[in-house]
Amino acid sequence: MWVVAGVAVTVFIILHLSGDPAAVMMPLESTPAEIAQFRHAEGFDRPLWVQFGTFAWNALHGDFGDSLRHGEPALGLTLERVPASAELAFTALALAVIVAIPAGIVAAIRRNSALDVLARLFALLGQSTPVYWLGIMLILIFGVQLGWFPVSGIGGLSHLVLPAVTLGLFSSAKIMRLTRASMLDVLSSDFLRTARAKGVGSLRLILHHALRNAWLPIITVIGLELGTLLSQAIITETIFAWPGIGRLAVQAIYDRDYPIVEVVVLLSALSFVVINLIVDVAYALLDPRIRYE
Amino acid sequence: MNVRRPLALIAGLVLAASAAPLSSPAADSTVVISQGVDPVTMDPLQRTITPTTNAQLNMFDTLLRHDRDGKLIPWVATSWRRAAPTVWEFKLRHDVKFWNGDPLTSADVKFSIEKIKDPAEKSEQGPRVNTVDRIETPDPYTVRLVSPRPVALIPGYLWLTMIVDGKYWAEHGNAYQAEHPMGSGAYVFKSWTKDEELDLDVNPNWWHGRAPIEHVIFKPIPEAASRVAALRTGETDLITNVPVQDQLQLAAGRNTQLESARSVRVLFIAFNTLKPGAQDNKLVRQALNYALDVPAIVKTVLGGRGYPLASPLPPNFTGYDPKIPFYTHDLAKAKALLAQAGYPDGKGLELVINAPTGRYNRDKEVAEAVAGQLSETGAKVTTRIQEWTTYVNQVSQRALSPAYELGWGNDSYDADNTLTSLLSSDARLSTYSNPALDKILTDARFELDPLKRQALYTKALTIVHDEAPWLFLFEYEDLYASTKRLQWQARPDELLLCDEMKLSG
């Protein structure tokens, strides 16, 4: 909880030092009196520590205030968009894992073969391709030219394909690279040589003995990637008009809509904390040597 | 690990995707409109953001409407007149009903305007009605707006004031209106999923007659390139803010067409004459105007989509005077004026042009082109580009100096809003001060005789031309693109009124 509290304080201070929301929210022709009235009504004319005290007290009671742009409770507006963001992030991660882990294993087993070179090329391209470029390219090729998938908005499974591939590619490349490295480490270890000498079948050797020992770093990176995917979704959601938290956050930052930005950042921090917790629990499940007292 | 299960999942996904309907081409009687952002609320008495207004104006009626030339035409009000020097009187139609059957009466008009005026509502629309002191309703179909002083402008400012059902509002309270509108307009609210889509059905009982298109969906697409792609795949029928670089491709598209309208939005570069520097010298300001070649900027930076301006006003505005001359490109004259001001060959003159990025069409590029042209005088001209939220803070504190780019969209089609907001001494955005101009602008605001009022604006524009507090740039041309089946003519006020659209075939 200290992490979340620390994030809350930092975000509050940075946001309030970064500019006056009245100048952005009010029409340009407003008079100084109208601007002053807005600042007073929203409490922006009070000392910063008083504003923070009120914010913290209300936040502890689940009240993050009304969005300056929408005039509705910020928490509700943000939570409404969680399912769309979660759907995209989990699908992207699932696609990434499904592609990356088998590819990583194959690349490790067939080290320096054509397959390995291909996998490494995929890792290089996947991690160096900018998301916005990839998104637009996929739209042009699979949406406009081939007409296979819709290019914007949320809907059936077909709407999910292009944004999930765009979002998942980077993670896929990273997980693939790590799986390959981790497997190579394990494959050259003594216990595996012993197992092979004892005549353990090669599929069982890889899946049961090698992969099980290579799991820990892979699980860690998958967990961290989920957190990253939630934040990277900002670009993907904007390109594909996906109605998630990322898009809400971008607009809120443009508008200096403090309540929304605070809720989004706190939610992200909270999700990182929860994901780390899940990863820690997963360690214990996967590795019998790890026990939490 | 069982590798077969994930593979089966992928196969399933692919199959499901191929079985699902692909780009759902809009049904025959449905039109999908994609703006860059979603409406922020369904409450029509709060905000002044164009994409929000665009959605709301299809659900709510107004007293008057502007036609495409900026002329006021009767709408819910059949007639309007000045009943006394300080009183504007509007007569309402008797056959206007909200969707729930409640009749629209003078009480609803009074309710709507008073709601906007109420400081507790924090409405952005306040400036539109702040000259109204009180509202009288002598009978259900007569509204009288009373001001403390005679005001010429009230009907023009009422065009975007939407009328809500006072009875419904009182029953449900403020918060409810943000998601449950009750209007009387051409389209009936059906559903709204934020950032996803707003669904509207035609109002079969609309007093103006049933609109030709049965269903309208507002589906926001923030990224311009994605908007263009969605139009090309037929996922949407109409897109706004078409990037200039895509215009040729969309105009020549098999299923797409381009639509444009001369906009009420002007772009200019203001000098901050309130701060010391070369820019507080009139000769320097005039010289820099002569050094500019605005038609060339319009051609190269905007792909021809703009109209050079001689003064702050576009030609179809009340107060515009065609006799005000342009500053035509004349580098020799510019250099002579600079020499006269003490900067021979531009030596010693340094100018920074501040500009936002991503706020107006090609804003950054225009500023860079201007800087390039002004450098030809020998002066050292540079640009300082900032993101809009940071920029606008400084604009409203008059902190940008010596020069800064700003756009202005005045949908009242009247000189008052532009000149008073941007050039009168006490205006928040004005960085120019001239008591003589202030007096003329105040007199014009309260002058009721149109001829005398025009004469005052001619005088004001003559001063503005001579004093050159701005680099006069251009009026934008707004670009839209649609599928070929949509028949529609773009409006200069950036509004998308669906009752003016129809489908071919």
Side-chain angles (χ1 to χ4, degrees), chain B residues 290-324:
Chain B
Y290 281 117
L292 266 190
D293 185 355
V294 179
I297 292 177
V298 167
K299 191 171 166 214
T300 52
V301 183
L302 290 183
R305 302 288 181 175
Y307 302 87
L309 285 175
S311 78
L313 302 180
N316 54 350
F317 272 42
T318 306
Y320 172 81
D321 189 331
K323 290 192 288 298
I324 304 292

Side-chain angles (χ1 to χ4, degrees), chain A residues 4-188:
Chain A
V4 178
V7 168
V9 176
T10 315
V11 169
F12 186 90
I13 292 172
I14 292 176
L15 274 179
H16 283 73
L17 292 180
S18 70
D20 180 6
V24 184
M25 300 300 294
M26 294 294 283
L28 279 175
E29 61 259 55
S30 315
T31 61
E34 283 159 348
I35 300 268
Q37 194 186 330
F38 174 86
R39 303 189 79 235
H40 181 70
E42 298 292 344
F44 294 132
D45 54 351
R46 294 176 302 166
L48 195 57
W49 63 271
V50 176
Q51 291 185 51
F52 181 73
T54 318
F55 162 73
W57 179 253
N58 291 335
L60 285 173
H61 292 81
D63 175 10
F64 290 85
D66 285 351
S67 151
L68 305 180
R69 180 177 168 87
H70 299 266
E72 292 180 64
L75 185 63
L77 282 168
T78 312
L79 290 179
E80 273 174 18
R81 287 161 172 81
V82 168
S85 283
E87 183 183 351
L88 180 56
F90 281 109
T91 313
L93 189 69
L95 281 178
V97 168
I98 289 166
V99 172
I101 291 187
I105 295 172
V106 170
I109 300 169
R110 303 261 179 270
R111 193 179 181 184
N112 292 331
S113 68
L115 277 175
D116 184 26
V117 172
L118 210 65
R120 277 187 289 163
L121 190 68
F122 168 74
L124 180 74
L125 287 178
Q127 289 206 274
S128 53
T129 308
V131 173
Y132 56 86
W133 183 84
L134 177 69
I136 298 287
M137 283 302 126
L138 290 182
I139 284 177
L140 288 178
I141 296 167
F142 295 100
V144 178
Q145 295 302 328
L146 299 171
W148 289 0
F149 300 106
V151 300
S152 66
I154 192 168
L157 267 179
S158 58
H159 283 83
L160 196 52
V161 176
L162 296 185
V165 169
T166 305
L167 187 58
L169 184 73
F170 183 84
S171 301
S172 180
K174 198 165 173 185
I175 297 169
M176 201 287 297
R177 215 161 43 85
L178 201 91
T179 308
R180 179 180 174 276
S182 193
M183 284 294 284
L184 281 177
D185 266 359
V186 177
L187 286 173
S188 59

Side-chain angles (χ1 to χ4, degrees), chain B residues 152-405:
Chain B
L153 309 165
I154 283 180
Y157 280 147
L158 282 178
W159 140 230
L160 290 174
T161 301
M162 292 175 247
I163 306 164
V164 302
D165 182 350
K167 188 165 145 257
Y168 172 87
W169 198 295
E171 277 166 18
H172 294 89
N174 267 6
Y176 191 76
Q177 314 299 326
E179 295 188 11
H180 306 88
M182 177 56 66
S184 59
Y187 286 87
V188 181
F189 175 82
K190 192 171 160 203
S191 65
W192 181 34
T193 313
K194 288 173 201 134
D195 279 349
E196 204 175 316
E197 61 179 53
L198 165 69
D199 286 17
L200 308 178
D201 280 341
V202 75
N203 179 359
N205 307 316
W206 195 35
W207 60 272
H208 195 254
R210 190 185 179 112
I213 291 168
E214 288 291 307
H215 308 283
V216 173
I217 296 174
F218 280 88
K219 176 183 165 184
I221 305 179
E223 173 60 38
S226 312
R227 251 190 336 268
V228 170
L231 181 74
R232 292 176 64 197
T233 62
E235 276 173 51
T236 187
D237 287 292
L238 173 62
I239 61 172
T240 60
N241 301 92
V242 173
V244 176
Q245 63 272 22
D246 288 321
Q247 59 172 319
L248 293 178
Q249 182 192 30
L250 289 170
R254 193 164 39 86
N255 191 33
T256 55
Q257 59 192 354
L258 210 60
E259 181 63 43
S260 67
R262 203 168 166 151
S263 170
V264 292
R265 190 177 295 282
V266 300
L267 193 78
F268 59 92
I269 290 173
F271 293 108
N272 191 336
T273 62
L274 306 179
K275 303 225 168 182
Q279 79 282 359
D280 64 14
N281 183 340
K282 180 173 100 173
L283 295 176
V284 172
R285 299 195 300 262
Q286 289 178 338
L288 295 176
N289 266 296
Y290 281 117
L292 266 190
D293 185 355
V294 179
I297 292 177
V298 167
K299 191 171 166 214
T300 52
V301 183
L302 290 183
R305 302 288 181 175
Y307 302 87
L309 285 175
S311 78
L313 302 180
N316 54 350
F317 272 42
T318 306
Y320 172 81
D321 189 331
K323 290 192 288 298
I324 304 292
F326 284 86
Y327 276 95
T328 41
H329 180 55
D330 187 341
L331 199 55
K333 195 165 181 179
K335 284 185 170 176
L337 281 166
L338 280 183
Q340 207 183 327
Y343 301 100
D345 288 327
K347 277 197 192 82
L349 178 60
E350 291 192 11
L351 186 76
V352 178
I353 299 175
N354 293 276
T357 177
R359 173 64 184 86
Y360 311 108
N361 193 2
R362 313 285 275 175
D363 43 15
K364 175 170 81 87
E365 291 80 0
V366 169
E368 283 163 352
V370 168
Q373 290 187 350
L374 297 186
S375 300
E376 288 175 23
T377 58
K380 190 178 169 216
V381 187
T382 51
T383 56
R384 189 193 298 138
I385 311 290
Q386 297 180 69
E387 174 262 333
W388 174 248
T389 34
T390 317
Y391 189 80
V392 71
N393 260 305
Q394 298 171 45
V395 170
S396 59
Q397 289 162 7
R398 306 176 180 187
L400 294 173
S401 185
Y404 57 96
E405 186 185 71

Side-chain angles (χ1 to χ4, degrees), chain A residues 192-274:
Chain A
L192 218 73
R193 206 174 305 128
T194 314
R196 202 175 284 134
K198 283 168 72 179
V200 178
S202 62
L203 191 65
R204 185 176 156 75
L205 186 86
I206 287 158
L207 294 182
H208 193 76
H209 294 274
L211 190 60
R212 245 188 118 178
N213 282 285
W215 257 133
L216 285 195
I218 300 175
I219 288 293
T220 312
V221 87
I222 290 176
L224 291 178
E225 275 309 293
L226 185 59
T228 316
L229 283 178
L230 287 171
S231 49
Q232 272 195 350
I234 287 182
I235 299 170
T236 313
E237 286 181 2
T238 305
I239 295 173
F240 290 96
W242 192 265
I245 293 180
R247 222 170 110 194
L248 182 73
V250 171
Q251 195 59 50
I253 291 167
Y254 278 141
D255 293 339
R256 293 282 187 279
D257 194 345
Y258 294 166
I260 296 262
V261 179
E262 278 154 357
V263 174
V264 170
V265 174
L266 280 181
L267 272 184
S268 306
L270 200 64
S271 66
F272 258 100
V273 171
V274 170

